[in-house]
Amino acid sequence: MFKRIMSAAILLGAAIVPAQAAWPDRPITLIVPWAAGGGTDAVARVIASGLEKELGQPVNVVNRTGGGGVVGHTEIVGAKPDGYTIGLATAEITTYYWAGTAPFTYADVTPLALVNFDAAALHVAADSPWQDAAQALDAIRQAKPGTYKLSGMPVGAAFHLAFAGLLQAADIDAKAVAVVPSQGAAPGFQELASGGVQIVPSSLPEGRAMVDAGRVKALLVLANERIPAFPDVPVAKEAIGKEVVGGTWRGLAAPKGLPDEITAKLIETVEKVVKAPDFAKFMADRGFGVAFAKGDEFRIFLEDQHARNGELMGALGLRQRDK
């Protein structure tokens, strides 16, 4: 009798234990490693809005700034892998390890989807004697290292590495042009317009206002093909006969160890968001480039970026780790 009573109690207890809720059953946090109002923040917020509609739960954008993006990326990497904390990682996640500023690499996140790529461009002052990219590179090649300067980013940032790649493709020492660090393109363009530097290798959208004002001109863009919003700017293949692609990117990532079913659901959902007409319009209106690679494709992209940036940072004397 006692055994029958205990068995019945166990069965009753089991019956009232609620089933585990399907993900997501509460709000999701989307970490942005950069300040509110910037390009990464803008992309994050439109993605968050799309994810909310698809998943039926709030997606709250939280800006975690500091350390050149290290603080926010560290929080993405260190979050609980339950699908309730994800992040919009940027190109810098493939540089911190080499620079010695953080111990993690791309292998410490679950790659969900690349959503954006913005090619670097060669911007010079409107009154620069360089009429095209070939003239600019010839002048740099013939000058004493450090004669010419660039700005618009911190040392070792994505656009600095992209420009170093252009120099290497033209058989020029990656350190030939000195960097005047700045916290973004805006102060870099002011330096360019005032004559303090000769080059700003930012994206074309970032230079648009200065170009439209007649203070700056773009000589080439490091993309596979011309950017529709900037049809007059040639790609490197057209300008110097070498195919060079480089710039910055943004992609959705989660902590390592995210369950497969949640990973698959997030990838499926962000693909719907990125391929929706309103996302395409948002990106086009602001001049951002849409690039999509999901899951393993994004992982391979990250692996390639990690290796390439390690090589470039070595050439620039910025690499603090051998492997």
Side-chain angles (χ1 to χ4, degrees), residues 98-221:
W98 298 121
T101 54
F104 55 79
T105 73
Y106 71 93
D108 295 303
V109 300
T110 298
L112 300 173
L114 176 72
V115 299
N116 157 252
F117 180 83
D118 287 329
L122 175 55
H123 290 97
V124 300
D127 60 358
S128 169
W130 303 333
Q131 298 303 310
D132 55 44
Q135 287 184 3
L137 292 172
D138 282 343
I140 294 168
R141 185 182 293 108
Q142 295 170 24
K144 180 180 177 181
T147 300
Y148 297 110
K149 299 177 177 64
L150 65 83
S151 191
M153 78 297 294
V155 174
F159 287 133
H160 180 199
L161 298 181
F163 185 75
L166 172 64
L167 293 181
Q168 283 190 330
D171 298 319
I172 301 171
D173 185 347
K175 300 189 292 293
V177 178
V179 179
V180 177
S182 72
Q183 294 302 310
F189 277 114
Q190 291 300 323
E191 277 289 309
L192 180 63
S194 67
V197 301
Q198 292 75 41
I199 299 163
V200 171
S202 76
S203 68
L204 289 171
E206 288 175 304
R208 170 180 272 163
M210 294 292 278
V211 171
D212 290 347
R215 302 181 69 185
V216 168
K217 58 187 177 184
L219 302 183
L220 65 66
V221 61

Side-chain angles (χ1 to χ4, degrees), residues 252-272:
L252 209 64
K256 184 178 181 180
L258 190 69
D260 291 345
E261 63 273 17
I262 297 178
T263 299
K265 180 65 175 178
L266 273 168
I267 290 174
E268 174 190 1
T269 305
V270 75
E271 183 170 12
K272 290 180 181 178

